[in-house]
Amino acid sequence: MDVTAKPPGGDCKAVGEILSRVGDKWSIQIVVALRSGPRRFNEIKRRVGGISQQMLTRTLKTLERDGMVERTVRPSTPPQVDYTLTPLGHSLSETVHQLAEWAAAHRGNIEDNRLRYDGRQV
Amino acid sequence: MDVTAKPPGGDCKAVGEILSRVGDKWSIQIVVALRSGPRRFNEIKRRVGGISQQMLTRTLKTLERDGMVERTVRPSTPPQVDYTLTPLGHSLSETVHQLAEWAAAHRGNIEDNRLRYDGRQV
DNA sequence: CGGAATCCTGCGAGATACTG
DNA sequence: CAGTATCTCGCAGGATTCCG
């Protein structure tokens, strides 16, 4: 079967793929950190907070691979690298923003449900 | 600092929470499987496809805890259990649908980017 | 049929140290 | 400053078996 085709119900798998791509621990936070403009490596690290440089490097590379961010090296001493959100990255951040609003709107509700559930179960 | 308070920029963390909650391998697929109405355990298992009953049980329980699905036991022989999407679950599925559309719209783009990136790097 | 309990594995992810 | 290389560990998630 051709994967490039778009079967009627096949999108669910695509969503799953996107979600696992973007649903990892850092991708979204990095994208959000880049919304306001180009940032340098350690600048992002500081803004995200709690991320190891290992994961930052890794995640940035994946995001770059997917065309979400663009990496620009300026050969100076010390070397300076800027990361910028591409249009695709921006459009993702917009979409994620929807989810963010949903999350903000229902967070209390969910926590409430959890407390009730846990209260019952113990 | 009070975590229950809602600081202006604090939503990003909430999103992260929701994403890691919902961004796991199965939650979304289960929610989607339940959109069309109540389903029984093995029915869901069949519809989702590829999930172990272990993970199905686990994920359903978490979704129930968060108030996304409701579990209804009908004491018959053999026992019959129905899972239904709550209003909260439905609203989630709506929101996720947005993401699904984004995914569907940009999937080709992303794959393209990957191929190009991989081609360059080798 | 719908689970619970148990065991096992790989990968996500952190910490640390080294390089250019 | 901006990475790369290792090492390690926890946990998501799979397979299998047992229970009511």
Coordinates of all heavy atoms in Angstrom, one line a residue, chain B residues 40 42 53-54 57 71 83, chain C residues 1-7:
Chain B
R40 N -16.8 -2.4 24.1 CA -16.4 -3.4 25.1 C -14.9 -3.6 25.1 O -14.3 -3.2 24.1 CB -17.1 -4.7 25.0 CG -18.6 -4.5 25.1 CD -19.3 -5.8 24.9 NE -18.8 -6.9 25.7 CZ -19.1 -8.1 25.6 NH1 -20.1 -8.5 24.8 NH2 -18.6 -9.1 26.4
N42 N -12.6 -6.1 24.6 CA -12.0 -6.7 23.5 C -12.3 -6.1 22.1 O -11.6 -6.2 21.2 CB -12.3 -8.2 23.4 CG -11.5 -9.0 24.4 OD1 -10.3 -8.8 24.5 ND2 -12.1 -9.9 25.1
Q53 N -3.2 -6.4 26.0 CA -4.3 -6.2 27.0 C -3.8 -5.5 28.2 O -4.5 -4.7 28.9 CB -5.1 -7.5 27.3 CG -4.7 -8.2 28.5 CD -3.3 -8.7 28.5 OE1 -2.4 -7.9 28.1 NE2 -3.0 -9.8 29.0
Q54 N -2.5 -5.7 28.5 CA -1.8 -5.1 29.6 C -2.0 -3.5 29.4 O -2.4 -2.9 30.3 CB -0.4 -5.5 29.5 CG 0.6 -4.6 30.3 CD 0.6 -4.9 31.8 OE1 -0.3 -4.6 32.5 NE2 1.7 -5.5 32.2
T57 N -5.7 -2.2 29.4 CA -6.2 -2.1 30.8 C -5.6 -0.9 31.5 O -6.3 -0.1 32.0 CB -5.8 -3.4 31.6 OG1 -6.2 -4.5 31.0 CG2 -6.3 -3.3 33.0
R71 N -16.4 3.7 32.9 CA -16.4 2.3 32.9 C -17.8 1.8 33.4 O -18.1 2.2 34.6 CB -15.3 1.7 33.7 CG -14.9 0.3 33.4 CD -13.8 -0.1 34.3 NE -14.3 -0.9 35.4 CZ -14.0 -2.2 35.6 NH1 -13.1 -2.8 34.8 NH2 -14.5 -2.9 36.6
Y83 N -17.0 0.7 27.9 CA -16.3 1.9 28.1 C -16.9 3.0 27.2 O -17.1 2.8 26.0 CB -14.8 1.8 27.7 CG -14.1 0.9 28.7 CD1 -14.0 -0.5 28.5 CD2 -13.6 1.4 29.9 CE1 -13.4 -1.3 29.4 CE2 -12.9 0.6 30.8 CZ -12.8 -0.8 30.5 OH -12.2 -1.6 31.4
Chain C
dC1 P -14.6 -13.9 24.1 OP1 -15.3 -13.1 23.1 OP2 -13.3 -14.2 24.0 O5' -14.9 -13.0 25.5 C5' -16.2 -12.7 25.8 C4' -16.2 -11.9 27.0 O4' -15.8 -12.8 28.1 C3' -15.2 -10.7 27.0 O3' -15.8 -9.6 27.4 C2' -14.1 -11.1 28.0 C1' -14.8 -12.2 28.9 N1 -13.8 -13.3 29.3 C2 -13.5 -13.5 30.6 O2 -14.0 -12.7 31.5 N3 -12.7 -14.5 31.0 C4 -12.2 -15.2 30.0 N4 -11.3 -16.2 30.4 C5 -12.4 -15.0 28.6 C6 -13.3 -14.0 28.3
dG2 P -15.2 -8.0 27.2 OP1 -16.3 -7.2 26.9 OP2 -14.1 -8.2 26.3 O5' -14.6 -7.6 28.6 C5' -14.8 -8.5 29.7 C4' -14.2 -8.0 31.0 O4' -13.5 -9.1 31.5 C3' -13.2 -6.8 30.9 O3' -13.0 -6.3 32.2 C2' -11.9 -7.6 30.5 C1' -12.1 -8.8 31.4 N9 -11.4 -10.0 31.0 C8 -11.1 -10.4 29.7 N7 -10.4 -11.5 29.6 C5 -10.3 -11.9 31.0 C6 -9.6 -13.0 31.5 O6 -9.0 -13.9 30.9 N1 -9.8 -13.0 32.9 C2 -10.4 -12.1 33.7 N2 -10.4 -12.2 35.0 N3 -11.0 -11.0 33.1 C4 -10.9 -11.0 31.8
dG3 P -12.3 -4.8 32.3 OP1 -12.5 -4.3 33.7 OP2 -12.7 -4.0 31.2 O5' -10.7 -5.2 32.1 C5' -9.9 -4.9 33.2 C4' -9.7 -6.2 34.0 O4' -9.6 -7.3 33.1 C3' -8.4 -6.2 34.8 O3' -8.7 -5.8 36.1 C2' -8.0 -7.7 34.8 C1' -8.9 -8.4 33.8 N9 -8.2 -9.2 32.8 C8 -8.2 -9.1 31.5 N7 -7.5 -10.0 30.9 C5 -7.1 -10.8 31.9 C6 -6.4 -12.0 31.9 O6 -5.9 -12.6 30.9 N1 -6.1 -12.6 33.2 C2 -6.6 -12.0 34.3 N2 -6.3 -12.6 35.5 N3 -7.3 -10.9 34.4 C4 -7.5 -10.4 33.1
dA4 P -7.6 -5.0 36.9 OP1 -8.3 -4.2 37.9 OP2 -6.8 -4.2 35.9 O5' -6.7 -6.1 37.5 C5' -7.3 -7.1 38.3 C4' -6.2 -8.0 38.9 O4' -5.8 -9.0 37.8 C3' -4.9 -7.4 39.2 O3' -4.4 -8.0 40.4 C2' -4.0 -7.6 38.0 C1' -4.5 -8.9 37.5 N9 -4.4 -9.1 36.1 C8 -4.8 -8.2 35.1 N7 -4.6 -8.6 33.9 C5 -4.0 -9.8 34.0 C6 -3.5 -10.7 33.1 N6 -3.6 -10.6 31.8 N1 -2.9 -11.9 33.6 C2 -2.8 -12.0 34.9 N3 -3.2 -11.2 35.9 C4 -3.8 -10.1 35.4
dA5 P -3.1 -7.4 41.2 OP1 -3.4 -7.5 42.6 OP2 -2.7 -6.1 40.6 O5' -2.0 -8.5 40.8 C5' -2.4 -9.8 40.6 C4' -1.1 -10.7 40.3 O4' -1.0 -11.0 38.9 C3' 0.2 -10.0 40.7 O3' 1.1 -10.9 41.3 C2' 0.7 -9.4 39.4 C1' 0.2 -10.4 38.4 N9 -0.1 -9.9 37.1 C8 -0.7 -8.7 36.8 N7 -0.9 -8.4 35.6 C5 -0.3 -9.5 34.9 C6 -0.2 -9.8 33.5 N6 -0.6 -9.1 32.6 N1 0.4 -11.0 33.2 C2 0.8 -11.8 34.3 N3 0.7 -11.6 35.6 C4 0.1 -10.4 35.8
dT6 P 2.5 -10.4 41.8 OP1 2.9 -11.2 43.0 OP2 2.6 -8.9 41.9 O5' 3.5 -10.9 40.6 C5' 3.3 -12.2 40.1 C4' 4.2 -12.4 38.9 O4' 3.6 -11.8 37.7 C3' 5.6 -11.7 39.0 O3' 6.6 -12.7 38.9 C2' 5.6 -10.7 37.9 C1' 4.6 -11.3 36.9 N1 4.0 -10.3 35.9 C2 4.0 -10.6 34.6 O2 4.5 -11.6 34.1 N3 3.4 -9.6 33.8 C4 2.9 -8.4 34.2 O4 2.4 -7.6 33.4 C5 2.9 -8.2 35.7 C7 2.4 -7.0 36.2 C6 3.5 -9.2 36.4
dC7 P 8.1 -12.3 39.1 OP1 8.8 -13.4 39.9 OP2 8.2 -10.9 39.7 O5' 8.6 -12.3 37.6 C5' 8.3 -13.4 36.7 C4' 8.8 -13.1 35.3 O4' 7.9 -12.1 34.7 C3' 10.2 -12.4 35.3 O3' 11.1 -13.1 34.4 C2' 9.9 -11.0 34.9 C1' 8.7 -11.1 34.0 N1 7.8 -9.9 33.9 C2 7.3 -9.5 32.7 O2 7.5 -10.2 31.7 N3 6.6 -8.4 32.6 C4 6.4 -7.7 33.7 N4 5.7 -6.6 33.6 C5 6.9 -8.0 35.0 C6 7.6 -9.2 35.1

